[in-house]
PDB file of all heavy atoms in Angstrom:
ATOM      1  N   SER B  47     111.558 -12.982-164.308  1.00 95.00           N
ATOM      2  CA  SER B  47     112.037 -14.003-163.180  1.00 95.00           C
ATOM      3  C   SER B  47     111.274 -15.123-163.248  1.00 95.00           C
ATOM      4  O   SER B  47     111.536 -16.215-162.443  1.00 95.00           O
ATOM      5  CB  SER B  47     111.878 -13.300-161.805  1.00 95.00           C
ATOM      6  OG  SER B  47     110.592 -12.907-161.568  1.00 95.00           O
ATOM      7  N   GLY B  48     110.205 -15.181-163.987  1.00 96.00           N
ATOM      8  CA  GLY B  48     109.343 -16.477-164.140  1.00 96.00           C
ATOM      9  C   GLY B  48     108.184 -16.658-163.341  1.00 96.00           C
ATOM     10  O   GLY B  48     107.443 -17.550-163.324  1.00 96.00           O
ATOM     11  N   LYS B  49     107.695 -15.481-162.820  1.00 97.00           N
ATOM     12  CA  LYS B  49     106.447 -15.254-162.125  1.00 97.00           C
ATOM     13  C   LYS B  49     105.266 -15.780-162.840  1.00 97.00           C
ATOM     14  O   LYS B  49     104.401 -16.673-162.423  1.00 97.00           O
ATOM     15  CB  LYS B  49     106.227 -13.986-161.631  1.00 97.00           C
ATOM     16  CG  LYS B  49     107.319 -13.262-160.815  1.00 97.00           C
ATOM     17  CD  LYS B  49     106.988 -11.972-160.293  1.00 97.00           C
ATOM     18  CE  LYS B  49     106.698 -10.923-161.337  1.00 97.00           C
ATOM     19  NZ  LYS B  49     107.760 -10.481-162.142  1.00 97.00           N
ATOM     20  N   SER B  50     105.115 -15.314-164.049  1.00 96.00           N
ATOM     21  CA  SER B  50     104.004 -15.505-164.860  1.00 96.00           C
ATOM     22  C   SER B  50     103.937 -16.934-165.471  1.00 96.00           C
ATOM     23  O   SER B  50     102.892 -17.661-165.428  1.00 96.00           O
ATOM     24  CB  SER B  50     103.768 -14.570-166.093  1.00 96.00           C
ATOM     25  OG  SER B  50     103.512 -13.336-165.567  1.00 96.00           O
ATOM     26  N   THR B  51     105.049 -17.405-165.659  1.00 97.00           N
ATOM     27  CA  THR B  51     105.256 -18.885-166.190  1.00 97.00           C
ATOM     28  C   THR B  51     104.943 -19.738-165.097  1.00 97.00           C
ATOM     29  O   THR B  51     104.292 -20.852-165.293  1.00 97.00           O
ATOM     30  CB  THR B  51     106.715 -19.019-166.693  1.00 97.00           C
ATOM     31  OG1 THR B  51     107.051 -17.931-167.670  1.00 97.00           O
ATOM     32  CG2 THR B  51     106.903 -20.306-167.307  1.00 97.00           C
ATOM     33  N   LEU B  52     105.347 -19.454-163.913  1.00 97.00           N
ATOM     34  CA  LEU B  52     104.994 -20.218-162.705  1.00 97.00           C
ATOM     35  C   LEU B  52     103.472 -20.465-162.570  1.00 97.00           C
ATOM     36  O   LEU B  52     102.892 -21.475-162.388  1.00 97.00           O
ATOM     37  CB  LEU B  52     105.517 -19.726-161.467  1.00 97.00           C
ATOM     38  CG  LEU B  52     105.164 -20.306-160.108  1.00 97.00           C
ATOM     39  CD1 LEU B  52     105.633 -21.793-160.028  1.00 97.00           C
ATOM     40  CD2 LEU B  52     105.425 -19.480-158.822  1.00 97.00           C
ATOM     41  N   LEU B  53     102.698 -19.284-162.664  1.00 97.00           N
ATOM     42  CA  LEU B  53     101.177 -19.422-162.563  1.00 97.00           C
ATOM     43  C   LEU B  53     100.683 -20.385-163.677  1.00 97.00           C
ATOM     44  O   LEU B  53      99.880 -21.078-163.386  1.00 97.00           O
ATOM     45  CB  LEU B  53     100.683 -18.023-162.895  1.00 97.00           C
ATOM     46  CG  LEU B  53     100.633 -17.004-161.698  1.00 97.00           C
ATOM     47  CD1 LEU B  53      99.820 -15.838-162.025  1.00 97.00           C
ATOM     48  CD2 LEU B  53     100.279 -17.696-160.319  1.00 97.00           C
ATOM     49  N   ARG B  54     101.361 -20.328-164.892  1.00 97.00           N
ATOM     50  CA  ARG B  54     100.838 -21.196-166.065  1.00 97.00           C
ATOM     51  C   ARG B  54     101.188 -22.616-165.945  1.00 97.00           C
ATOM     52  O   ARG B  54     100.515 -23.490-166.519  1.00 97.00           O
ATOM     53  CB  ARG B  54     101.371 -20.528-167.294  1.00 97.00           C
ATOM     54  CG  ARG B  54     100.566 -19.361-167.628  1.00 97.00           C
ATOM     55  CD  ARG B  54     101.268 -18.517-168.842  1.00 97.00           C
ATOM     56  NE  ARG B  54     100.524 -17.377-169.286  1.00 97.00           N
ATOM     57  CZ  ARG B  54     100.265 -16.298-168.575  1.00 97.00           C
ATOM     58  NH1 ARG B  54     100.747 -16.069-167.394  1.00 97.00           N
ATOM     59  NH2 ARG B  54      99.541 -15.249-169.179  1.00 97.00           N
ATOM     60  N   THR B  55     102.173 -22.856-165.075  1.00 97.00           N
ATOM     61  CA  THR B  55     102.455 -24.250-164.879  1.00 97.00           C
ATOM     62  C   THR B  55     101.494 -24.850-163.748  1.00 97.00           C
ATOM     63  O   THR B  55     101.162 -26.012-163.742  1.00 97.00           O
ATOM     64  CB  THR B  55     103.932 -24.637-164.328  1.00 97.00           C
ATOM     65  OG1 THR B  55     104.133 -23.752-163.186  1.00 97.00           O
ATOM     66  CG2 THR B  55     104.918 -24.191-165.359  1.00 97.00           C
ATOM     67  N   ILE B  56     100.933 -24.054-162.896  1.00 98.00           N
ATOM     68  CA  ILE B  56      99.990 -24.469-161.873  1.00 98.00           C
ATOM     69  C   ILE B  56      98.771 -24.951-162.479  1.00 98.00           C
ATOM     70  O   ILE B  56      98.224 -25.978-162.167  1.00 98.00           O
ATOM     71  CB  ILE B  56      99.733 -23.250-160.894  1.00 98.00           C
ATOM     72  CG1 ILE B  56     100.952 -22.988-159.956  1.00 98.00           C
ATOM     73  CG2 ILE B  56      98.539 -23.767-159.901  1.00 98.00           C
ATOM     74  CD1 ILE B  56     100.892 -21.886-158.991  1.00 98.00           C
ATOM     75  N   ASN B  57      98.121 -24.126-163.533  1.00 97.00           N
ATOM     76  CA  ASN B  57      96.907 -24.713-164.182  1.00 97.00           C
ATOM     77  C   ASN B  57      97.308 -25.387-165.453  1.00 97.00           C
ATOM     78  O   ASN B  57      96.450 -25.667-166.307  1.00 97.00           O
ATOM     79  CB  ASN B  57      95.945 -23.569-164.329  1.00 97.00           C
ATOM     80  CG  ASN B  57      96.397 -22.522-165.343  1.00 97.00           C
ATOM     81  OD1 ASN B  57      97.505 -22.492-165.791  1.00 97.00           O
ATOM     82  ND2 ASN B  57      95.536 -21.593-165.605  1.00 97.00           N
ATOM     83  N   ARG B  58      98.534 -25.585-165.660  1.00 97.00           N
ATOM     84  CA  ARG B  58      99.149 -26.319-166.863  1.00 97.00           C
ATOM     85  C   ARG B  58      98.760 -25.741-168.179  1.00 97.00           C
ATOM     86  O   ARG B  58      98.524 -26.534-169.154  1.00 97.00           O
ATOM     87  CB  ARG B  58      98.496 -27.872-166.754  1.00 97.00           C
ATOM     88  CG  ARG B  58      99.278 -28.420-165.492  1.00 97.00           C
ATOM     89  CD  ARG B  58      98.720 -29.844-165.239  1.00 97.00           C
ATOM     90  NE  ARG B  58      98.834 -30.803-166.508  1.00 97.00           N
ATOM     91  CZ  ARG B  58      98.144 -31.895-166.645  1.00 97.00           C
ATOM     92  NH1 ARG B  58      97.239 -32.298-165.659  1.00 97.00           N
ATOM     93  NH2 ARG B  58      98.418 -32.672-167.613  1.00 97.00           N
ATOM     94  N   LEU B  59      98.579 -24.380-168.234  1.00 97.00           N
ATOM     95  CA  LEU B  59      98.569 -23.812-169.537  1.00 97.00           C
ATOM     96  C   LEU B  59      99.987 -24.003-170.118  1.00 97.00           C
ATOM     97  O   LEU B  59     100.195 -24.000-171.481  1.00 97.00           O
ATOM     98  CB  LEU B  59      98.403 -22.231-169.453  1.00 97.00           C
ATOM     99  CG  LEU B  59      96.955 -21.952-169.126  1.00 97.00           C
ATOM    100  CD1 LEU B  59      96.774 -20.324-168.970  1.00 97.00           C
ATOM    101  CD2 LEU B  59      95.971 -22.350-170.351  1.00 97.00           C
ATOM    102  N   ILE B  60     101.039 -24.200-169.376  1.00 96.00           N
ATOM    103  CA  ILE B  60     102.306 -24.687-169.751  1.00 96.00           C
ATOM    104  C   ILE B  60     102.571 -25.950-168.839  1.00 96.00           C
ATOM    105  O   ILE B  60     102.582 -25.880-167.614  1.00 96.00           O
ATOM    106  CB  ILE B  60     103.313 -23.633-169.628  1.00 96.00           C
ATOM    107  CG1 ILE B  60     103.064 -22.252-170.261  1.00 96.00           C
ATOM    108  CG2 ILE B  60     104.693 -24.137-170.014  1.00 96.00           C
ATOM    109  CD1 ILE B  60     103.874 -21.109-170.072  1.00 96.00           C
ATOM    110  N   GLU B  61     103.040 -26.988-169.498  1.00 96.00           N
ATOM    111  CA  GLU B  61     103.315 -28.221-168.682  1.00 96.00           C
ATOM    112  C   GLU B  61     104.811 -28.060-168.197  1.00 96.00           C
ATOM    113  O   GLU B  61     105.674 -27.729-168.951  1.00 96.00           O
ATOM    114  CB  GLU B  61     103.284 -29.375-169.615  1.00 96.00           C
ATOM    115  CG  GLU B  61     101.877 -29.772-170.051  1.00 96.00           C
ATOM    116  CD  GLU B  61     100.979 -30.363-169.152  1.00 96.00           C
ATOM    117  OE1 GLU B  61     101.442 -30.579-167.925  1.00 96.00           O
ATOM    118  OE2 GLU B  61      99.768 -30.429-169.307  1.00 96.00           O
ATOM    119  N   PRO B  62     105.027 -28.275-166.943  1.00 97.00           N
ATOM    120  CA  PRO B  62     106.398 -28.269-166.481  1.00 97.00           C
ATOM    121  C   PRO B  62     107.161 -29.356-166.910  1.00 97.00           C
ATOM    122  O   PRO B  62     106.680 -30.547-167.154  1.00 97.00           O
ATOM    123  CB  PRO B  62     106.142 -28.305-164.845  1.00 97.00           C
ATOM    124  CG  PRO B  62     104.761 -28.905-164.742  1.00 97.00           C
ATOM    125  CD  PRO B  62     103.960 -28.475-165.899  1.00 97.00           C
ATOM    126  N   ASP B  63     108.536 -29.213-167.042  1.00 97.00           N
ATOM    127  CA  ASP B  63     109.371 -30.268-167.440  1.00 97.00           C
ATOM    128  C   ASP B  63     109.522 -31.323-166.262  1.00 97.00           C
ATOM    129  O   ASP B  63     109.606 -32.482-166.641  1.00 97.00           O
ATOM    130  CB  ASP B  63     110.717 -29.812-167.802  1.00 97.00           C
ATOM    131  CG  ASP B  63     110.672 -28.844-169.137  1.00 97.00           C
ATOM    132  OD1 ASP B  63     109.721 -28.966-169.857  1.00 97.00           O
ATOM    133  OD2 ASP B  63     111.553 -28.014-169.217  1.00 97.00           O
ATOM    134  N   ARG B  64     109.566 -30.887-165.176  1.00 96.00           N
ATOM    135  CA  ARG B  64     109.807 -31.616-163.921  1.00 96.00           C
ATOM    136  C   ARG B  64     109.368 -31.061-162.770  1.00 96.00           C
ATOM    137  O   ARG B  64     108.918 -29.754-162.909  1.00 96.00           O
ATOM    138  CB  ARG B  64     111.416 -31.694-163.875  1.00 96.00           C
ATOM    139  CG  ARG B  64     112.101 -32.594-162.797  1.00 96.00           C
ATOM    140  CD  ARG B  64     113.383 -33.089-163.384  1.00 96.00           C
ATOM    141  NE  ARG B  64     114.400 -32.089-163.679  1.00 96.00           N
ATOM    142  CZ  ARG B  64     115.213 -31.712-162.556  1.00 96.00           C
ATOM    143  NH1 ARG B  64     115.082 -32.142-161.449  1.00 96.00           N
ATOM    144  NH2 ARG B  64     116.206 -30.925-162.927  1.00 96.00           N
ATOM    145  N   GLY B  65     109.050 -31.769-161.709  1.00 97.00           N
ATOM    146  CA  GLY B  65     108.515 -31.270-160.457  1.00 97.00           C
ATOM    147  C   GLY B  65     106.991 -31.643-160.333  1.00 97.00           C
ATOM    148  O   GLY B  65     106.546 -32.461-161.172  1.00 97.00           O
ATOM    149  N   ASP B  66     106.267 -31.183-159.486  1.00 97.00           N
ATOM    150  CA  ASP B  66     104.868 -31.492-159.147  1.00 97.00           C
ATOM    151  C   ASP B  66     104.088 -30.411-158.688  1.00 97.00           C
ATOM    152  O   ASP B  66     104.522 -29.437-158.134  1.00 97.00           O
ATOM    153  CB  ASP B  66     104.913 -32.555-158.039  1.00 97.00           C
ATOM    154  CG  ASP B  66     103.732 -33.529-158.304  1.00 97.00           C
ATOM    155  OD1 ASP B  66     102.825 -33.179-159.070  1.00 97.00           O
ATOM    156  OD2 ASP B  66     103.654 -34.550-157.585  1.00 97.00           O
TER     157      ASP B  66
END
Side-chain angles (χ1 to χ4, degrees):
Chain B
S47 57
K49 308 184 296 293
S50 295
T51 309
L52 171 66
L53 283 191
R54 283 163 175 75
T55 58
I56 293 174
N57 66 355
R58 293 172 60 200
L59 283 175
I60 304 173
E61 296 286 349
D63 295 337
R64 186 141 71 79
D66 208 349

